[in-house]
Structure formats: C-alpha cells, structure tokens
Amino acid sequence: MPTRRSHCVLAFLLAVPLLASGCTSAKPQRDSRQDRALELANYQTFIAEIEYPRDDSPPSTDFLGDAKPLTLEDAQTAEYWDLTLEDAIQIAFQNAEVLREIGATILVEPRTIGTSFDPAIIETDPRFGVEGALSAFDAQTSVIGFGEKIDQPLNSNLIVGGGDNVLVQDLAGLNSQISKRTAQGTVFAIRKELAYDANNFVSNQFPSAWDVNLQALVRQPLLRGAGTEINRIAGPNPIIGFPNGVLIARTRTDISLAQFEEDVQDYVSNVENLYWDLYFAYRNLDARLAARDASLKTWEQTKALLDGGHVGADQEAQARVQYFQFQQQVLDALGGRVLVGTRTANGSSGGTFNTAGGVLVAERRLRLLLGLPINDNALVRPKDEPNLAKVSFDWAESKLESMYRRVELRQQEWLIKLNELELIAARNQLLPQLDLVGAYRHRGFGHDLAKKDNAIGTFNNAYDEFFSGDYNDWQLGLQLDMPLGFRQGHAAVRNSQLALARNRRLLKEQQRQVLHDLSNAVADVERAYENSKTAYNLLVASENQLESIQAAFDAGESSLFILLDVQRRLADAKIGFDRACVEYALAIRNVHFEKGSLLDYNQVYLTESRSGLRPACAAELSARHLASLRNHPNLDYTFARPRPLSRGLYPQLVEPWEQDLELLPEPAETIESPPPPPIPMPE
C-alpha cells in the first residue's frame, strides 16, 4: 500500500520534467544580427517619440472671441468703451479664478500663480488638512469573519483520537469591534468575538462548542500624548518631526489664506497699474497728435514761404523732418511696442510707473489681466482722472497700521505660530509612552450557539451562559515604551527651536523692510505732488512761449528753428504733466499698498467660505481650546503652553486712518489760474 511519502516523491518526479519543458520556447530563436539591430533601432525610435496627453474634451476657445487684433488702420474707426477703475476691479474679480500676473509667468511657472482654489486645496488635503487631522478621532469599526479546516498529523497518542494521530479540526469565527479616540488621547473599544471549534481532542467535553465574548477595552496615555492640548496640536501618535493635529492643520490653512490675500493684493495693484498705463497711453497719443498737427501746420506755412521766396529750402526741409518725426511718434503711441510696463515690485512694492507701449498694446494687456476677450471691436478707454488733491498721511498712524495690517507680516506670524506648535509637539515626544490599559470581558460557552438541549444540561448553549453573567474577567495594567537616549526626540526639539528662531529673526527684518518701503512711499507722495505742480507750470509756460514765438514767426521776427524747438518742448511738457499726474496717483496707491490697506482703498473685502468640507464644530473646538489654554492646569513639566494662535477677527471694514486731505489751491505759486480741464481722449 503506498504511503503519503511515496505519493509526494512520485508527484515531485512528475513535476520536474514538466517544469523543465516549460522553460524552453517553442518559437525558433532568431540569431541574425541584422534583425536584432533593426529591432533595437525601432525600439530607440519608439522611446524617443514625444507624445501628447489624451484629452477627450476639445479645448475651449470661448474666451478668444471672433474679433481679430486691432491694427493701426482699424484703430482709426474703432468704438470706445469708457471704463472706470472701480468697474475694472469688479470685472477683474468676476473673472478671477486665476489671479493673473503680467508677463509669461503663467506659461513658465504655472504652479506659482495664485488661484481661488489654493486655500481650499490646503484645507482639504487628506494628509495635512483640517479634515485629515480630525479623521484621527473618527470612530473606527472592523469586522473579521473566517473559516478554517485543519488536517495535521501529530506525534502523540494522548491529544487526539482515531488511532492515526491526525488532528482534524474545523474553526470558524466572527469578530467585530468599534473604537473611538477622544481629544484627551483615550481610546475606548467594544469588541465581540464569536468562535466555533469542532475537533477530535480526546479531552473534549463536546465534539464541538461555541464561545461568545464581549469585551470593553480602554487605553489612556499618562505621559506622552496625554491631554487635550497635545492631541489637538500634534494629533494622536504623531510621527516625530511631522505633527499633524487639528490646530497645526488649521494654521496651515491660515497661512494659505494669508498667501491668497497677498496674491489678491498684488492682483488689485496690477489692475490699477495697467489702468493708469492705458490712461497715460491715451494722453501720450493725444499729445503726439497735437504736436503732429502743429508741425504739419508749420510745414505748410514754411512751404508757402518757400514758394514765395521768403525762406530757404533748408528751413522747409527742417519743418518737414519734424513733421515726420512726430508722425512716427504718433504711430508708436497708437500701436505701441511690447515692452515691460508698470507692474508690482518693479522698484517699489506696489509698482513704479514705467511708460512703455502704446494704446493698443496697453489695452490688450489690461484686457488680459481683467479676463476679457483679448480682441474686441471696442477699445477700452479709462474714464477716471488722477486725483489732484493734496493727500497727507500721518506718519505715526501709518507706521502702526503697516505693522498691523501688512499681509506679509501676518503670514510670517502665522508661520511662527506653526513653529511654536511644532516645538510643543516635539517636546512632548521626549516623554516616555506610559499607557494605562484595562479590559473587561463577559463570556459565554456552550455546545450549541442558541439552541437549547435539556439533555445536555450545563453549557447546552453559549448565549444562555452569556446572559447568565456567571463568567467575567478583567485586566488592568501599565505599558511602558521608550527609547534609551531620545536621540530622535532631542533632534526634533532642536530643529523646531532653530526654525522658530529663524522665522522670528525674519519677521524683524520684514518689519524693517516694511518700514523702509513705507518711508519711501510717503516721501514719494510729496515728491509726486510737488512735481505735478511744477509740471503744470512748465506746461503753461510752454504754451505761452509757443504763442509768443508763433506770433513772432508769423511777423517774421523769429526763426523757424526756434519755433520747431518750442513745439517739441510743448509736446514734452504735455507728456510730462500727464506722467506727473499718473505718478501722483500711483504714489498715493503705493502708500496704501505699504500700509496694507490697498484692498480697503479699492473696496475689496475677503471672507472665508464656510461651505467647504470642514464642519463648523472644528471652529468651535478651536475656540474652546484657546480658552482652555488659560484655564486648564498643566501637569507636564516639558509641555509649554502656546500663546493664543489668533488675535481674533481681522477687521477689513474699518474707518479710514486719519488723513489730512487738502485741496490743491493753486497749481503753482507763479500761476494764478486753476488747472486746465482734462485733455479729451481721441474720438
């Protein structure tokens, strides 16, 4: 009779030839070097190909519009859309899912562009967001069901029966548990175990039996991870160096909100920059047109004198040259060249005025920033005029306001708060993991699970014994886990201390930089105002000079060269006055930028949406925690309570800070007449 061993040997001998035959291929091998070289060339060609990502949806072109770009010829007959600065900012935020920047940053570094999705992305991060941190305190449930068949030979006649020393056993079980971690770090769990066992042990009272157990478990940290504060700061069982409690997660969200506000501030600043760039482009074009028309009249007058023999050909040529020079300037002022214009942080934080481009280029750039179709049959034309009133800022109030309201400083302060929380979490890791553990178990045992069999007597079914309450046991003890030396924990503490010291030093330097930039901005307001008065005096003087020189030239008492020079000076004076007015408007704007009140200045207010995934109870828990920081006793000598995380609501709807607004009484001491009305835009 064959034994179990002989069967195994026979199976092994049969399997070896089959495995050996499976290792060989039935296909004939090609050893041709030419074929292998061809395959290698095809493979190299395949891996070198550049592919496009598959996108089943066609690209949207709704924003492109149907109009073609306006050229110099088209601009002569174009319609105008008069737009105020307030309307421009409103339009910008209606299309501001992406906070656009000037230039090609969106193409080169799209990840650096701010969007309205950024704070929500940080908030809903499943690893580091608030919801991810709160999920550590969610109730957990688990259910395990299994069945098992055992057929095992044993080297004993005293354990199993049947004569062949083989253990035959059927096992089945159903285990379920629900657990919950509290804010104090305590873990409660209720576990039910249902087990079935049928075997051929000779000592069995029954050939099969059922066990029913109900357990109540508790684990309470006593040192590391104990208490509401550390669990809300670092979370339960944090990884050393990577704490992720709800307060740390919320602080990350606050940092992202401050970054979003900074992006919004830069966006508003750039909208205003491009608005005044376009305003100046129209003014520059108007001055060039006036100079060209005056030079054309002078050329025609000189040509008539040349025909009458009163002037030489050189003078007529000089007049003709100046006309075409002005005509060239008109074309550049209308069409423009693609150059860098005024933009945030190009010298000053808000943006230093830089005259570049013409009307068409500046208009397309403004359309790009506002989210409008790039090309349209109507040209955008600024409707607002620069402020000509004298604005004086109180230095003491402005300095305090900048320290309180600059979003960059608030973002750095939030980062310091984050470092403080991380330091508290790191110090807590220096404590041993000492937990109090306890368990209470209620048991039931019987031949059947629920069926009653009076013939069996005691233990006839498991549930009867379970509900009788006769069999209970409990467990209570301590569990200690700790590394010897806490090398990683000390490194984490030192790292957090260095990061905190670094960011505090950076905050001081940021405050110095803000004070420096604010000083420049306040001083520049006075410079721009005085320059505007001087530019107006120069404009009036140039106009008076042209009138007198023109009259003298008509009377034959002045030369043509002087007249042409005065015409150039008048054109420069007009452009200089418009430039001075725009610089003054931007100088006032820059003071608000440096103070942190730019959004208020443009009536833009931010609010945090409460319709996201974060429940309202998280804010309530944070508020309760801030109150408990002052009232809750602290038993951990290595645990440093953090200072309050927030100073409360950030006021945006505030009364304006004291400003001495003085109307411009006179454009200059030597000019008694008021400033001239705004120069009309070309129709």
Side-chain angles (χ1 to χ4, degrees):
M1 182 176 181
T3 63
R4 292 173 179 255
R5 183 175 181 182
S6 63
H7 286 305
C8 294
V9 172
L10 180 60
F12 176 78
L13 294 176
L14 292 175
V16 169
L18 294 176
L19 293 175
S21 63
C23 294
T24 61
S25 174
K27 295 179 62 177
Q29 297 295 321
R30 293 189 303 177
D31 297 330
S32 173
R33 294 183 179 181
Q34 183 177 3
D35 292 345
R36 283 182 294 180
L38 180 60
E39 292 179 356
L40 179 60
N42 292 336
Y43 173 72
Q44 291 177 344
T45 303
F46 174 75
I47 63 174
E49 292 179 349
I50 299 177
E51 299 181 358
Y52 286 89
R54 178 175 179 178
D55 188 3
D56 295 333
S57 59
S60 176
T61 58
D62 296 339
F63 62 92
L64 296 178
D66 297 329
K68 67 180 183 66
L70 293 179
T71 61
L72 296 177
E73 183 178 356
D74 300 328
Q76 304 298 326
T77 58
E79 299 179 354
Y80 290 98
W81 173 19
D82 293 329
L83 185 67
T84 64
L85 178 59
E86 180 180 357
D87 291 339
I89 294 176
Q90 290 181 357
I91 293 173
F93 280 102
Q94 289 173 359
N95 306 316
E97 288 185 345
V98 175
L99 301 177
R100 306 170 187 86
E101 294 184 359
I102 306 173
T105 308
I106 189 66
L107 298 176
V108 179
E109 287 292 338
R111 291 173 294 181
T112 63
I113 299 298
T115 70
S116 59
F117 303 99
D118 294 344
I121 291 175
I122 299 298
E123 176 85 2
T124 58
D125 191 309
R127 301 167 299 167
F128 307 113
V130 175
E131 289 298 314
L134 287 173
S135 65
F137 300 94
D138 292 346
Q140 304 290 330
T141 181
S142 64
V143 178
I144 301 176
F146 65 91
E148 185 177 359
K149 174 68 175 180
I150 299 177
D151 187 6
Q152 178 182 0
L154 300 176
N155 187 22
S156 174
N157 291 324
L158 301 178
I159 299 178
V160 297
D164 55 357
N165 301 334
V166 177
L167 170 62
V168 179
Q169 187 177 22
D170 294 330
L171 296 175
L174 180 63
N175 301 333
S176 58
Q177 173 180 300
I178 183 170
S179 61
K180 178 71 171 73
R181 186 184 298 272
T182 67
Q184 290 76 20
T186 310
V187 179
F188 295 99
I190 298 178
R191 180 185 304 165
K192 181 182 179 182
E193 298 178 350
L194 180 63
Y196 170 77
D197 186 2
N199 58 68
N200 60 344
F201 288 151
V202 296
S203 59
N204 284 346
Q205 180 180 358
F206 308 112
S208 63
W210 291 85
D211 278 308
V212 178
N213 298 328
L214 183 63
Q215 301 181 55
L217 309 173
V218 62
R219 175 180 290 269
Q220 172 60 55
L222 301 180
L223 294 178
R224 183 193 301 177
T228 305
E229 293 173 344
I230 190 61
N231 278 276
R232 288 177 177 167
I233 291 174
N237 301 322
I239 301 175
I240 296 180
F242 296 95
N244 191 38
V246 62
L247 289 181
I248 287 181
R250 177 60 204 182
T251 305
R252 293 194 190 101
T253 301
D254 291 326
I255 293 174
S256 68
L257 290 172
Q259 179 61 52
F260 177 71
E261 182 178 347
E262 181 181 352
D263 294 337
V264 171
Q265 176 182 259
D266 293 344
Y267 184 54
V268 172
S269 177
N270 277 329
V271 169
E272 190 164 354
N273 285 333
L274 295 190
Y275 184 87
W276 293 120
D277 273 5
L278 182 57
Y279 171 88
F280 178 79
Y282 275 105
R283 292 297 193 183
N284 180 51
L285 174 61
D286 187 80
R288 301 298 182 186
L289 287 171
R292 184 202 63 182
D293 295 342
S295 65
L296 176 61
K297 182 178 179 181
T298 302
W299 178 28
E300 293 174 346
Q301 184 179 4
T302 305
K303 191 174 185 303
L305 293 175
L306 175 63
D307 295 339
H310 300 290
V311 297
D314 58 333
Q315 296 187 25
E316 186 274 338
Q318 182 67 30
R320 185 170 70 253
V321 167
Q322 177 151 307
Y323 165 76
F324 285 112
Q325 287 177 342
F326 280 130
Q327 175 64 13
Q328 187 179 33
Q329 294 175 2
V330 167
L331 297 178
D332 288 340
L334 178 58
R337 299 173 59 196
V338 183
L339 301 173
V340 178
T342 311
R343 58 192 305 175
T344 301
N346 68 329
S348 61
S349 300
T352 301
F353 181 59
N354 183 24
T355 60
V359 171
L360 299 182
V361 169
E363 196 262 355
R364 282 193 292 268
R365 188 180 288 131
L366 180 61
R367 283 180 171 273
L368 174 65
L369 203 66
L370 299 185
L372 296 172
I374 305 301
N375 302 310
D376 199 341
N377 295 323
L379 281 174
V380 176
R381 183 170 58 181
K383 186 177 181 180
D384 291 345
E385 294 290 334
N387 181 26
L388 296 180
K390 182 178 181 181
V391 179
S392 298
F393 294 91
D394 184 87
W395 172 247
E397 294 292 342
S398 299
K399 180 175 63 175
L400 293 177
E401 187 178 4
S402 65
M403 294 295 106
Y404 178 71
R405 302 193 65 179
R406 276 299 289 265
V407 62
E408 296 87 351
L409 300 184
R410 286 192 286 111
Q411 184 177 5
Q412 186 68 16
E413 289 173 352
W414 278 119
L415 186 58
I416 291 175
K417 294 300 180 183
L418 178 63
N419 293 145
E420 292 177 349
L421 295 177
E422 291 173 344
L423 178 58
I424 293 172
R427 286 176 174 173
N428 187 259
Q429 294 294 320
L430 295 178
L431 295 176
Q433 185 70 53
L434 180 62
D435 295 349
L436 174 67
V437 294
Y440 179 82
R441 185 180 296 107
H442 193 66
R443 296 182 178 274
F445 173 79
H447 176 266
D448 294 311
L449 180 61
K451 180 181 178 182
K452 290 187 177 182
D453 189 352
N454 296 328
I456 296 178
T458 307
F459 305 125
N460 67 87
N461 74 81
Y463 273 115
D464 276 352
E465 300 299 331
F466 177 81
F467 287 112
S468 68
D470 294 336
Y471 308 99
N472 306 290
D473 48 52
W474 57 270
Q475 179 185 18
L476 186 64
L478 296 173
Q479 180 178 347
L480 175 65
D481 296 300
M482 59 175 290
L484 297 180
F486 291 98
R487 180 178 299 182
Q488 189 179 20
H490 284 294
V493 170
R494 186 57 178 164
N495 183 266
S496 299
Q497 289 173 340
L498 293 173
L500 178 59
R502 176 183 183 274
N503 286 319
R504 284 176 174 170
R505 297 299 186 276
L506 289 177
L507 177 61
K508 290 183 179 180
E509 291 303 317
Q510 285 180 328
Q511 292 171 341
R512 286 171 49 83
Q513 184 66 41
V514 167
L515 186 61
H516 169 270
D517 295 343
L518 179 62
S519 301
N520 286 339
V522 171
D524 193 56
V525 170
E526 183 68 20
R527 178 206 65 82
Y529 176 71
E530 295 298 330
N531 189 36
S532 65
K533 293 195 300 183
T534 303
Y536 176 69
N537 285 331
L538 178 61
L539 174 61
V540 174
S542 299
E543 290 176 345
N544 295 336
Q545 183 185 22
L546 179 61
E547 291 178 0
S548 60
I549 295 299
Q550 183 69 51
F553 177 77
D554 294 340
E557 299 175 357
S558 179
S559 67
L560 175 65
F561 299 102
I562 297 178
L563 177 61
L564 297 179
D565 181 67
V566 171
Q567 289 177 349
R568 289 193 298 269
R569 292 177 182 273
L570 176 59
D572 293 339
K574 289 181 179 179
I575 297 172
F577 175 68
D578 294 327
R579 179 188 294 108
C581 292
V582 173
E583 287 181 352
Y584 183 53
L586 291 179
I588 297 174
R589 187 282 313 274
N590 284 342
V591 174
H592 287 283
F593 188 100
E594 302 297 346
K595 291 194 307 172
S597 58
L598 179 63
L599 298 185
D600 289 353
Y601 180 63
N602 288 281
Q603 300 181 6
V604 176
Y605 306 102
L606 303 178
T607 181
E608 183 180 355
S609 174
R610 298 290 178 177
S611 60
L613 297 178
R614 185 172 62 86
C617 62
E620 298 177 3
L621 291 176
S622 298
R624 294 177 189 172
H625 172 70
L626 294 176
S628 68
L629 292 177
R630 298 184 294 269
N631 303 324
H632 184 66
N634 185 10
L635 303 179
D636 183 3
Y637 70 94
T638 66
F639 187 89
R641 274 178 285 186
R643 291 173 292 174
L645 297 181
S646 173
R647 291 189 294 227
L649 180 64
Y650 173 68
Q652 298 184 83
L653 298 172
V654 296
E655 294 296 330
W657 294 75
E658 294 183 2
Q659 300 179 6
D660 181 15
L661 299 180
E662 178 184 349
L663 294 180
L664 181 62
E666 297 178 358
E669 296 179 357
T670 59
I671 303 298
E672 300 297 335
S673 60
I679 301 175
M681 299 295 181
E683 295 294 335

